[in-house]
Amino acid sequence: MPTPSSSRPRITISIVSHGQLALVLPLLEQLDRHSRAVIDKVLLTLNIPEADVLAGRSWGFRVERIENASPKGFGANHNQAFERCGTEWFLVLNPDIRFDNDVLSPLLAQAATDAGLLTPRILEPGKTEPEPHRALLTPLEIVGRKKPGYVGPTVPAWIPGLFMLFRSKAYRQVGGFDEKFFMYGEDFDICARTRLAGWKLQVGENLLARHDAQRESHRSRKYLYWHVTSLLKVWLSASFWRYLRLQGR
């Protein structure tokens, strides 16, 4: 694995396309416009074959493609990309994240020395306020967050995988994503293991990124089944119960 460099640029970005290059194109343009100074390269994984709408374009950072011979899961794709990361920071980013200004530079500037995972606030479509922080992922919490008047915790117990800025040292220490999880279970699990390894989760409360949400699990029985199955795997995992004790539950 490459040795991280302390010189700028400081971030390697991993984006996975599942036939979504039309979504990736505006994202690359926004990253180039606002944050090119801190980006070393974008590792763009094509999980399935698709038309190349990026042909002939260039940006102020390298775009290095990884073309899978067969589709991989979320965790496997980003773990594969991390093997090519030689920077201090590794950003896991959804194709449908959008930026109206530079979020990455100020996020790095705010990073505490013991912060292993950072994120800005996320604004979902049709909302005027960012998503509340995520509480510990339990059946009771999942039901409770659907109720009117729900108020999230002031400090998140975990961070969704659509925008996860890892300190590479922390990602390497915990061994990246556990590939047995899928459909959001891997997000919680890696956050739990990062905290259990002694790193903090840090949120840039004054920084905002937009999410053009693609909520397949809300529309498809297949995705809903995968989501529920993944949650059951989380609740049966050793890291969940260790994290529960760490949180004082």
Side-chain angles (χ1 to χ4, degrees), residues 43-143:
L43 296 167
L44 176 59
T45 300
L46 304 183
N47 205 34
I48 60 175
E50 60 181 300
D52 188 0
V53 301
L54 307 183
R57 300 176 184 270
S58 62
W59 296 272
F61 42 77
R62 292 175 291 156
V63 176
E64 186 175 316
R65 298 189 187 212
I66 304 171
E67 298 187 18
N68 288 340
S70 58
K72 298 179 185 291
F74 179 91
N77 275 315
H78 291 297
N79 288 345
Q80 173 181 251
F82 184 70
E83 293 176 3
R84 306 189 186 196
C85 176
T87 53
E88 181 184 2
W89 296 92
F90 178 66
L91 173 58
V92 170
L93 198 61
N94 262 31
D96 53 7
I97 289 293
R98 298 292 178 259
F99 297 96
D100 297 319
N101 46 50
D102 182 19
V103 170
L104 302 186
S105 301
L107 198 57
L108 291 180
Q110 295 176 15
T113 56
D114 58 352
L117 176 53
L118 287 76
T119 192
R121 300 304 299 268
I122 303 296
L123 186 67
E124 296 285 352
K127 302 290 183 65
T128 57
E129 297 293 329
E131 284 290 282
H133 293 318
R134 302 299 177 97
L136 191 67
L137 188 63
T138 66
L140 186 62
E141 188 274 332
I142 291 173
V143 173

Side-chain angles (χ1 to χ4, degrees), residues 229-245:
T229 302
S230 185
L231 286 174
L232 291 175
K233 286 186 176 183
V234 167
W235 295 329
L236 292 172
S237 68
S239 57
F240 173 79
W241 293 102
R242 289 175 59 212
Y243 195 37
L244 196 70
R245 291 193 292 274

